[in-house]
Amino acid sequence: NVQNNIGKIITYQILIICISALFGYIGKKLIRHWKIDSKYKLFRFKNAWHYILTGEFFNFHRAAFDLESDNIESIDFVHIDALVNTSDGTVIYDGFFVDYELSNDGGLETITLKNVQRRMMNSEKSTEIFIRNDIYYRIPGHILVIPYNSIINLNLSYYKFVEILGNNNEVQIGIELVE
């Protein structure tokens, strides 16, 4: 009986797979559009890094603070300060967040930054390092990929573009932290 209906069976299986994929895709789009994943943990990605790196965690009910005057749609870019262990010592890399990769176990594998600068941390002069601005060194290149296993901690700042009225009533573009 199976051999007589093999065409129908294959068509049926392909149809089930296509309909399931379509419903999954539409479901994901609806959940993300209406931010259902922010309200109900059941619908969230299993990995929290997406929500942290995009600022979407501000929508979570358990977030320690809310955005007072802005919302997550106001976030135009993310700036990251990464404290990293290197063979030369501890380094702070700061730059604009570009992308990230997840590892097979669901953790963070790498982060990618652009317009990066660095500074060495010196334990003897740690207070002086945070005061002086002349110890930053620009890193030439388009992007810097940092493996997560060498990162000690991350500081993320979420920014938005704002219009500023400059001299001669010219409109200029500036940046501000989202609040």
Side-chain angles (χ1 to χ4, degrees), residues 6 11 20 24 61 70 101 114 124 150 155:
I6 192 73
T11 303
S20 299
H61 294 294
D70 295 312
E101 291 292 326
K114 68 179 181 178
E124 295 172 8
S150 66
N155 177 45

Side-chain angles (χ1 to χ4, degrees), residues 4-170:
N4 294 338
N5 295 308
I6 192 73
K8 291 179 183 179
I9 293 171
I10 291 173
T11 303
Y12 176 75
Q13 292 296 324
I14 291 173
L15 191 61
I16 287 177
I17 291 170
C18 291
I19 289 172
S20 299
L22 180 65
F23 276 118
Y25 178 78
I26 290 170
K28 177 188 146 205
K29 289 294 185 185
L30 292 175
I31 287 169
R32 297 287 294 145
H33 176 73
W34 286 326
K35 297 177 180 62
I36 296 171
D37 57 334
S38 295
K39 296 174 187 160
Y40 304 104
K41 193 172 186 173
L42 172 70
F43 296 105
R44 289 188 195 149
F45 296 127
K46 297 295 179 210
N47 193 298
W49 283 108
H50 168 77
Y51 300 104
I52 294 168
L53 294 170
T54 61
E56 291 183 31
F57 73 92
F58 286 116
N59 284 341
F60 292 177
H61 294 294
R62 66 183 178 142
F65 57 91
D66 294 325
L67 294 175
E68 295 174 13
S69 58
D70 295 312
N71 54 39
I72 61 167
E73 287 79 19
S74 301
I75 298 172
D76 290 316
F77 63 93
V78 179
H79 186 269
I80 294 181
D81 299 303
L83 189 60
V84 178
N85 270 330
T86 68
S87 59
D88 295 332
T90 306
V91 178
I92 294 181
Y93 292 103
D94 73 25
F96 300 107
F97 172 68
V98 175
D99 198 10
Y100 65 97
E101 291 292 326
L102 297 176
S103 63
N104 290 337
D105 64 358
L108 194 60
E109 182 75 24
T110 63
I111 60 169
T112 306
L113 306 176
K114 68 179 181 178
N115 296 339
V116 181
Q117 56 185 8
R118 69 171 172 83
R119 65 180 173 185
M120 295 297 293
M121 289 295 296
N122 183 344
S123 60
E124 295 172 8
K125 301 178 182 179
S126 60
T127 55
E128 182 182 335
I129 282 181
F130 291 106
I131 297 170
R132 295 178 44 205
N133 290 328
D134 61 344
I135 51 179
Y136 279 102
Y137 301 97
R138 286 212 65 71
I139 298 175
H142 296 322
I143 61 171
L144 177 69
V145 179
I146 303 173
Y148 185 72
N149 61 4
S150 66
I151 295 175
I152 298 170
N153 62 32
L154 295 172
N155 177 45
L156 287 80
S157 302
Y158 305 94
Y159 287 94
K160 64 181 177 177
F161 292 115
V162 293
E163 292 183 353
I164 301 171
L165 194 59
N167 297 339
N168 301 328
N169 291 332
E170 295 176 1

